Amino acid sequence: MTSLPTSRTFPDDFLWGAATASYQIEGGATEGGRGPSIWDTFSHTPGKTLNGDTGDVAADHLHRMVDDVAMMKDLGLQAYRFSIAWPRIQPTGSGAANRAGLDFYSRLVDELRSHDIKPVATLYHWDLPQALEDAGGWPVRDTALRFEDYARLLATELGDRVDTWTTLNEPWCSAYLGYGSGVHAPGRTDGADALAAVHHLNLAHGLAGRAIREVVGDHAQLSVTLNLHVIRPDDPQRPEDLDAVRQIDALANRAFLEPMLDGRYPADLLQDTAALTDWSFVQDGDLETIAVPIDVLGINYYSTTRVRRHTEGGAVERADGHAPSAASAWPAADDVDFLRQPGPYTAMGWNIDPTGMTELLTSVSATYPHIPLMVTENGAAFVDEVSADGRVHDDLRVSYLVGHIDAVGQAREAGVDVRGYFVWSLMDNFEWAYGYDRRFGIVRIDYETLERTWKDSAYWYRELVRTRRLPSVESARDLS
Ligand code: IFM
């Protein structure tokens, strides 16, 4: 367990929040005119999720929203990052808005604001309307154009009641896990499609960002959230391994950062993937659109990635887990080994390394010093147990948070402009292909009764937000 000194403090204007996503918590999958999304189809397909779990009920947030917001207030949250289910707003992904869907998010935003909690809305956290997937999904351009319409509808309805508009959450996952390895919905496995999806997600970000700006002007912040990878060479002296780092960095990080922030695709990315695609889906003007100015860049960080160039015959090593290192997700990178790294590990099998957080924030800020950063997700799944005293003593999660939030503090000390931190997640939820088996929440959900129980990490987080000083791991058990 990490027992760090508790001297780390954060300034008053540093924003503390918690994050969730629509399909992971809402439930009510067929209510209020919501259409099916790719995750409904995928999770209802036998063998796709652990135990056949689906988001049909999830944490039932759709029906418990008012109480959940009251709980956020009790936690002292200053901001809440949620996502909007596209198929609640446009059941088939295009056309007029569904009033019941708009009303739900409108009530959520008002409820948050009445409790003085800033709404941070993500437009797309993976629940693509199934009708758009049937028409080709993210590998086709039209999906990005439909996303622009959807963004405009929401900006018009919720406008400046939302503090920050985030276009996409982790387009890496949508493209490479959805269309490359197929471990996420829609479960397709074609490297060329995955790369076309990368571009159309980038384009969707640009089109939606421009539409939001047109509607809300400067009355809200514009953002996007990327799960950037901290990639380490197996042998820092081996040129082949350094080149593998370069290649994976291009696919994982620069494929999104450069078009969005520099208005270009990396030349090495185009070369590395030339056998799969000529990138002719990039049309004139796309890159200017994608480079819509943003106010803040959201960064999600969980663990690090270690790679080795696989030069001769012999066994190829593949690390466990679907993200961030499932090798089959990476187009044109069959000769890159993703190595299991030194522990300790979370219940996802992901290595715990807070130094990666500092390294990531520092390196992004060195390349893009003018863009403020926000940690929009960080947290860990562990096997939680309810103790005889009725509490969940999740020391491992508290320890993870202490290490990583301290690492954010170190980046700030080094001059990085990080403006806030959102823990993933407010509550246990549907962890995609892992169903309800992996618990990331600081609040426990009993999936039988849907009762919410604060874990020690929730009390600990409330104390952090209240005092702006990192409480020790040991103190968490005594907080109430
Ligand atoms: O649960 C996910 C979330 O939806 C996106 N970022 C990573 C989390 C943990 O896997």
Side-chain angles (χ1 to χ4, degrees):
M1 199 192 302
T2 326
S3 190
L4 288 170
T6 56
S7 56
R8 172 78 60 202
T9 57
F10 289 82
D12 286 349
D13 60 357
F14 190 83
L15 194 68
W16 295 104
T20 64
S22 47
Y23 192 71
Q24 294 182 272
I25 63 162
E26 284 179 1
T30 55
E31 286 179 46
R34 178 184 179 279
S37 79
I38 54 175
W39 269 98
D40 294 288
T41 308
F42 190 76
S43 65
H44 280 270
T45 306
K48 297 296 187 190
T49 64
L50 203 56
N51 304 317
D53 288 342
T54 74
D56 287 2
V57 177
D60 196 35
H61 170 72
L62 190 77
H63 302 117
R64 292 161 195 255
M65 182 270 283
V66 171
D67 290 345
D68 285 342
V69 174
M71 181 176 75
M72 293 175 212
K73 186 65 187 172
D74 287 348
L75 275 163
L77 299 186
Q78 298 170 313
Y80 173 51
R81 175 175 179 256
F82 61 96
S83 79
I84 296 175
W86 190 348
R88 270 193 208 290
I89 305 299
Q90 292 177 299
T92 57
S94 60
N98 170 37
R99 192 66 248 169
L102 285 177
D103 284 348
F104 172 70
Y105 296 107
S106 184
R107 280 189 281 114
L108 169 61
V109 166
D110 287 346
E111 199 67 24
L112 290 167
R113 288 170 66 87
S114 75
H115 287 86
D116 213 15
I117 300 171
K118 290 184 193 315
V120 175
T122 300
L123 292 177
Y124 186 72
H125 197 127
W126 310 352
D127 34 10
L128 183 71
Q130 181 61 43
L132 293 185
E133 172 58 25
D134 295 342
W138 285 111
V140 307
R141 189 177 182 86
D142 190 59
T143 303
L145 307 184
R146 299 286 68 77
F147 190 69
E148 176 182 6
D149 297 344
Y150 160 65
R152 198 178 297 279
L153 283 176
L154 284 170
T156 306
E157 176 74 16
L158 302 176
D160 56 7
R161 283 187 286 151
V162 165
D163 199 72
T164 303
W165 286 100
T166 303
T167 53
L168 308 174
N169 176 72
E170 302 182 350
W172 181 91
C173 294
S174 305
Y176 298 126
L177 301 183
Y179 295 92
S181 66
V183 298
H184 275 193
R188 284 161 59 181
T189 52
D190 183 306
D193 282 346
L195 293 167
V198 166
H199 178 63
H200 295 129
L201 283 153
N202 284 334
L203 182 61
H205 157 75
L207 291 166
R210 196 171 64 188
I212 291 166
R213 268 281 187 257
E214 277 167 21
V215 177
V216 304
D218 291 334
H219 296 291
Q221 300 202 92
L222 184 62
S223 184
V224 62
T225 279
L226 303 177
N227 57 325
L228 298 174
H229 290 56
V230 176
I231 308 154
R232 298 186 166 144
D234 183 34
D235 178 352
Q237 308 302 326
R238 192 169 175 257
E240 293 90 339
D241 291 359
L242 296 176
D243 193 57
V245 171
R246 175 206 56 73
Q247 181 179 354
I248 298 305
D249 176 52
L251 283 164
N253 301 331
R254 290 181 286 117
F256 304 98
L257 285 171
E258 290 195 18
M260 289 179 182
L261 302 178
D262 302 306
R264 59 162 189 255
Y265 276 107
D268 58 337
L269 172 71
L270 307 188
Q271 272 163 24
D272 290 341
T273 56
L276 285 177
T277 175
D278 60 5
W279 289 76
S280 54
F281 41 72
V282 181
Q283 297 187 6
D284 285 351
D286 283 2
L287 284 159
E288 287 88 66
T289 303
I290 296 169
V292 60
I294 58 170
D295 301 302
V296 57
L297 175 65
I299 293 187
N300 293 354
Y301 172 80
Y302 289 90
S303 64
T304 62
T305 300
R306 192 158 62 103
V307 297
R308 179 176 67 196
R309 175 77 69 201
H310 178 69
T311 40
E312 290 134 31
V316 177
E317 288 190 46
R318 298 294 189 230
D320 291 337
H322 73 272
S325 51
S328 57
W330 303 95
D334 291 346
D335 58 352
V336 177
D337 294 350
F338 290 79
L339 305 171
R340 187 158 172 84
Q341 311 184 67
Y345 306 98
T346 70
M348 297 296 284
W350 300 348
N351 66 306
I352 301 174
D353 186 350
T355 68
M357 171 75 93
T358 314
E359 188 179 322
L360 179 57
L361 295 170
T362 312
S363 74
V364 173
S365 151
T367 314
Y368 301 104
H370 56 291
I371 300 190
L373 306 179
M374 186 74 81
V375 176
T376 39
E377 279 183 33
N378 172 246
F382 288 107
V383 179
D384 296 324
E385 269 158 29
V386 183
S387 303
D389 62 3
R391 292 215 14 185
V392 180
H393 297 302
D394 58 339
D395 306 0
L396 291 173
R397 181 172 295 102
V398 175
S399 174
Y400 180 99
L401 296 176
V402 168
H404 286 77
I405 295 173
D406 186 67
V408 175
Q410 287 182 39
R412 285 179 51 85
E413 230 166 57
V416 178
D417 184 7
V418 196
R419 306 236 169 134
Y421 175 95
F422 289 72
V423 65
W424 184 270
S425 177
L426 172 66
M427 58 180 102
D428 292 338
N429 57 52
F430 175 78
E431 177 52 29
W432 308 112
Y434 292 95
Y436 298 103
D437 193 76
R438 304 293 202 274
R439 293 174 177 270
F440 275 88
I442 59 172
V443 172
R444 177 182 175 83
I445 301 290
D446 177 327
Y447 289 111
E448 304 270 297
T449 62
L450 296 165
E451 191 189 346
R452 278 89 166 120
T453 305
W454 289 27
K455 303 179 190 177
D456 284 359
S457 54
Y459 293 104
W460 178 91
Y461 197 62
R462 176 168 70 178
E463 186 68 0
L464 165 65
V465 178
R466 191 180 70 78
T467 60
R468 310 202 150 260
R469 179 183 289 270
L470 262 188
S472 69
V473 177
E474 293 75 18
S475 68
R477 282 181 180 241
D478 300 325
L479 293 167
S480 57

